[in-house]
Amino acid sequence: MRTLFIADLHLSEDNPEITAAFFHFLDKECEDVDALYILGDLFEVWIGDDEHTPLMDEVAKRLAHCATHNNTHIYYLHGNRDFMIGKSYAKQACMQLLPEHHEIELYGQKALIMHGDTLCLADLNYQKMRKIIHNRYIQFIFNLLPLSIRKKIGWKIRTASQSKKTTNAQMMSVTQDEVIRLLKKHQLKIVIHGHTHKVAEHKFEVDGAVMQRYDVGDWYQTLSFLEAKKEQLTLIIHPINYYSL
């Protein structure tokens, strides 16, 4: 058996090829999978569980089918675009929500999983904003706003985030000292995350011990995921249309 990790699909009606790739991925890869971990930003934007679009409902339906038909455990860890996904949608999609930093056991070895935005400390403005928008009282007030107003706010934030990404890509680089700090805090040697959109495996030493950081990448030009088996972690990269060829 195996466990899979994905992140940063940024599903939206504007990119149907990514949605198609995700549905094919669920059909082809999840037949013999113990667990699927979605490490945030499955959707391009999320403004509340009370919004129901055909895309959101179809994604929930496909995930629920994967969970019930294949007996696959599906776990969700919030990203910076869809941190408002709540218990209602999680239940609809048969997903279990996880805290932002979470320890898991993978066939005899332990790992720390996260979205990855908390590792990018060079982006000072984002880190300040993150503290505000993740405040539970701010989120409570936001959810009280009419859906139409929340949509406008959500897409303004999305537009600003996309503009910033194109001009300040270096801000999304991981701060190595923060990676080391977290691994020492949790007494672990493996961290798995997304957010940076830079699929890669990084090995480094800390006090003589070999540490590993896996960035699972995005699904813009290619699709990528991390596959965990007993004593083996493998990053897999395919063309975005791989499953439909």
Side-chain angles (χ1 to χ4, degrees):
M1 296 297 287
R2 59 202 180 117
T3 295
L4 305 180
F5 300 83
I6 61 173
D8 297 294
L9 277 67
H10 292 263
L11 298 178
S12 75
E13 290 79 0
D14 296 335
N15 294 295
E17 68 280 2
I18 299 179
T19 303
F22 178 53
F23 292 162
H24 286 307
F25 167 82
L26 292 177
D27 291 339
K28 298 294 178 66
E29 294 289 347
C30 291
E31 293 183 354
D32 59 342
V33 168
D34 290 319
L36 171 65
Y37 287 87
I38 305 174
L39 305 182
D41 284 359
L42 178 62
F43 293 96
E44 178 70 355
V45 65
W46 192 272
I47 51 92
D49 286 12
D50 56 337
E51 181 183 26
H52 291 280
T53 68
L55 173 62
M56 293 172 179
D57 289 340
E58 184 63 21
V59 169
K61 177 182 176 181
R62 298 292 187 114
L63 287 170
H65 176 79
C66 176
T68 56
H69 181 74
N70 298 321
N71 197 29
T72 298
H73 298 285
I74 300 178
Y75 301 97
Y76 199 87
L77 203 152
H78 292 108
N80 57 295
R81 296 290 186 87
D82 54 14
F83 59 90
M84 294 293 291
I85 287 180
K87 294 180 180 179
S88 177
Y89 188 77
K91 182 178 180 181
Q92 182 184 352
C94 293
M95 303 187 303
Q96 180 179 335
L97 299 178
L98 298 177
E100 63 179 18
H101 295 165
H102 187 66
E103 297 180 22
I104 61 172
E105 184 165 342
L106 290 173
Y107 313 109
Q109 57 184 341
K110 292 185 177 181
L112 179 65
I113 62 172
M114 63 186 70
H115 176 57
D117 56 335
T118 57
L119 298 176
C120 303
L121 299 186
D123 194 347
L124 298 178
N125 289 333
Y126 169 72
Q127 295 301 332
K128 291 178 182 177
M129 182 186 72
R130 188 182 190 280
K131 289 182 180 181
I132 296 173
I133 62 179
H134 280 261
N135 183 291
R136 61 178 180 175
Y137 299 109
I138 296 295
Q139 292 182 2
F140 175 77
I141 294 171
F142 180 80
N143 278 324
L144 293 178
L145 297 173
L147 183 61
S148 59
I149 295 178
R150 279 183 278 141
K151 283 184 178 180
K152 292 179 180 179
I153 295 174
W155 285 101
K156 282 185 178 180
I157 294 174
R158 170 185 180 267
T159 302
S161 178
Q162 286 183 326
S163 176
K164 182 178 180 181
K165 187 188 301 182
T166 58
T167 58
N168 296 305
Q170 71 273 14
M171 291 296 188
M172 292 182 67
S173 296
V174 165
T175 302
Q176 182 69 1
D177 287 347
E178 180 64 7
V179 175
I180 295 172
R181 186 191 72 82
L182 285 172
L183 286 174
K184 284 185 174 181
K185 176 184 177 182
H186 291 269
Q187 298 183 331
L188 298 174
K189 297 180 179 179
I190 300 172
V191 60
I192 304 168
H193 69 89
H195 182 64
T196 71
H197 298 209
K198 301 173 184 176
V199 57
E201 174 188 356
H202 303 270
K203 289 187 178 181
F204 52 97
E205 287 191 10
V206 177
D207 299 331
V210 176
M211 307 290 189
Q212 294 170 287
R213 176 170 68 86
Y214 292 91
D215 188 332
V216 302
D218 61 37
W219 282 37
Y220 286 165
Q221 302 300 323
T222 59
L223 65 88
S224 56
F225 58 94
L226 180 67
E227 178 186 70
K229 295 181 179 179
K230 187 175 182 180
E231 299 181 353
Q232 181 179 356
L233 293 172
T234 306
L235 278 171
I236 297 174
I237 305 172
H238 291 311
I240 193 67
N241 61 344
Y242 175 79
Y243 295 106
S244 57
L245 293 176

